[in-house]
Amino acid sequence: VYQLLGEAGTYYGVRFGKTIPWVTEFPFGVISDPQYVGSIMSLLGCLSWVPFQYILLWIIGYVFMMRVESNEDQSTRAKPLN
């Protein structure tokens, strides 16, 4: 993620006025919301150590944020490079 997006892209720099290009390389062009999907998969990997209800609540939070970000104002998102 850091290699493709850089620090500003990884930490929502576009919301603070940074110019971030839209990335379409793997995994961003293949998986919708790859950072959230990776986080959810990591949480599922912790099921043998962490009680299920905590993992489930955390996953619900990620799914909620994926939904919120898919409905956000397009002017606050990164712009494709032309």
Side-chain angles (χ1 to χ4, degrees):
V1 171
Y2 265 78
Q3 185 176 4
L4 292 175
L5 300 179
E7 183 178 356
T10 301
Y11 296 113
Y12 298 97
V14 72
R15 306 247 184 351
F16 300 105
K18 303 268 186 187
T19 302
I20 310 294
W22 191 261
V23 177
T24 57
E25 294 176 44
F26 181 81
F28 297 96
V30 178
I31 301 169
S32 180
D33 300 307
Q35 290 174 280
Y36 288 127
V37 171
S39 295
I40 290 170
M41 290 172 64
S42 296
L43 287 170
L44 292 174
C46 294
L47 278 172
S48 61
W49 298 288
V50 180
F52 175 74
Q53 62 267 24
Y54 298 121
I55 299 290
L56 181 63
L57 285 172
W58 209 338
I59 289 174
I60 289 170
Y62 280 134
V63 171
F64 174 76
M65 286 309 300
M66 289 166 57
R67 179 83 173 159
V68 166
E69 289 180 6
S70 71
N71 293 323
E72 72 184 348
D73 181 11
Q74 294 298 315
S75 67
T76 63
R77 300 196 84 165
K79 309 291 185 270
L81 290 176
N82 295 328

